[in-house]
Amino acid sequence: MNAPQTPASPSVTAPVDYVLHLADNALVLGQRNAEWCGHGPILEEDLALANNSLDLIGQARMLYQHAATLINADATQAARFAHLLGARQGGELTEDTLAYFRDVPEFRNFTLLELPHHGPLAGTAAGDRDYATTITRNFLYSALMVLVWERLQTSRDAQLAAIAAKSLKEVRYHLRHASDWLVRFGDGTDESRCRAQAALTHLLPYCQEFWIGSPTEQQAATHQTGVRLTELQANWNALVDETLTEATLQRPSGAGFVPQGQLGVHSEHMGFLVAEMQSLARNHPEAVW
């Protein structure tokens, strides 16, 4: 395992929206994976997905704490997020405020991460959880975040660099877990291979969003606090192709509509996810957790 690299100096802070993008990605996928708690195909996987969720929500907490600190210290940013304080009767923003009191268009996560654990059904449709879909999504996202966190260890934002160093250790496990299962599915029975291939065909087009960028990503990269994902695309493709070859799965074209969740334009599934996630906090906004 590579030792964390020393961030460049002097230290500066990453754009708030960039930190929120990273936090939202972790929170939303953590929420999705937590839906397997008590429903895993075997006990070991029930626990594995629960631990995966805890890792992601832990990353989200650190990132939201960092974002809240940046917002509270900047009058312009504080005014921008002032509408969130009404629910908490004033005070400063916290990790809970940012997670539980923003509305769907304010989230900046990739659309891939908010999709349900089955094929392309409407948000109100009933569908059985498909473990191949969950594993494939975790694989595609973890392959990206291994590269992202590795690069962010040298962020000029010292706090973000420290978060990256911790998160990298966790996401390496997530990638290994998802890769191992994808190989088992692809090189297993006809049923498991069919499900894995269908999940890959369904989900890979959503990964196009990784490479479209955003003004916030551009700003972070320019100031060396973030990374342009297009710089990681070749390495991500190599990671994906290596595992798919071992799994004897065919890589689909991945072409189609390019989602824009990171710009606040979400699928119909996001509203259902956020409503369930935020219901307790919104019903008891003064509660202390």
Side-chain angles (χ1 to χ4, degrees):
M1 181 179 296
N2 296 328
Q5 303 178 48
T6 303
S9 120
S11 179
V12 296
T13 56
V16 167
D17 286 342
Y18 185 72
V19 179
L20 287 175
H21 165 65
L22 295 171
D24 292 344
N25 283 338
L27 179 67
V28 169
L29 185 57
Q31 176 73 11
R32 275 298 185 215
N33 283 343
E35 293 171 355
W36 278 102
C37 188
H39 300 279
I42 56 175
L43 178 59
E44 184 177 5
E45 285 307 293
D46 198 303
L47 296 173
L49 263 292
N51 284 326
N52 178 290
S53 300
L54 288 172
D55 287 343
L56 289 166
I57 292 171
Q59 293 168 18
R61 287 194 63 191
M62 292 187 292
L63 291 161
Y64 283 134
Q65 289 167 0
H66 185 34
T69 299
L70 297 177
I71 293 167
N72 292 330
D74 185 320
T76 300
Q77 292 290 352
R80 175 185 163 204
F81 289 92
H83 65 287
L84 300 179
L85 295 176
R88 307 286 291 188
Q89 299 300 315
E92 293 189 330
L93 290 179
T94 67
E95 59 182 284
D96 288 342
T97 317
L98 293 170
Y100 295 131
F101 294 97
R102 285 185 298 150
D103 292 327
V104 168
E106 296 176 277
F107 279 81
R108 292 294 181 265
N109 57 280
F110 292 129
T111 304
L112 171 73
L113 309 179
E114 68 202 42
L115 301 177
H117 303 285
H118 47 65
L121 301 176
T124 52
D128 293 333
R129 294 178 180 89
D130 176 36
Y131 205 58
T133 296
T134 298
I135 288 296
T136 301
R137 170 174 43 207
N138 287 348
F139 165 69
L140 295 170
Y141 176 69
S142 298
L144 176 71
M145 292 311 296
V146 160
L147 303 171
V148 171
W149 290 131
E150 189 170 38
R151 286 283 294 273
L152 287 180
Q153 289 183 110
T154 59
S155 171
R156 291 181 65 197
D157 184 324
Q159 182 62 26
L160 184 55
I163 293 171
K166 182 179 187 302
S167 300
L168 178 59
K169 299 173 185 177
E170 296 169 341
V171 79
R172 280 174 173 159
Y173 165 75
H174 299 171
L175 177 60
R176 184 169 67 250
H177 174 263
S179 298
D180 287 349
W181 270 104
L182 197 60
V183 170
R184 291 183 193 180
F185 287 145
D187 198 28
T189 66
D190 290 342
E191 175 70 14
S192 68
R193 177 182 172 78
C194 181
R195 287 190 177 221
Q197 188 66 60
L200 187 63
T201 301
H202 169 48
L203 295 174
L204 192 63
Y206 287 92
C207 296
Q208 294 177 104
E209 187 181 2
F210 296 167
W211 323 120
I212 65 173
S214 69
T216 300
E217 179 187 293
Q218 177 66 33
Q219 181 185 0
T222 299
H223 295 131
Q224 299 177 43
T225 57
V227 56
R228 292 181 183 87
L229 294 189
T230 52
E231 297 176 3
L232 308 177
Q233 188 171 4
N235 289 338
W236 181 83
N237 281 324
L239 279 173
V240 169
D241 288 342
E242 180 181 2
T243 298
L244 294 186
T245 297
E246 185 178 358
T248 67
L249 293 171
Q250 297 298 315
R251 179 168 178 165
S253 70
F257 172 75
V258 180
Q260 297 183 332
Q262 64 178 314
L263 302 178
V265 182
H266 295 280
S267 72
E268 67 271 28
H269 307 291
M270 184 65 172
F272 295 96
L273 182 150
V274 168
E276 182 176 8
M277 181 179 70
Q278 296 182 342
S279 59
L280 182 63
R282 288 188 179 242
N283 281 326
H284 304 280
E286 295 305 308
V288 177
W289 310 104

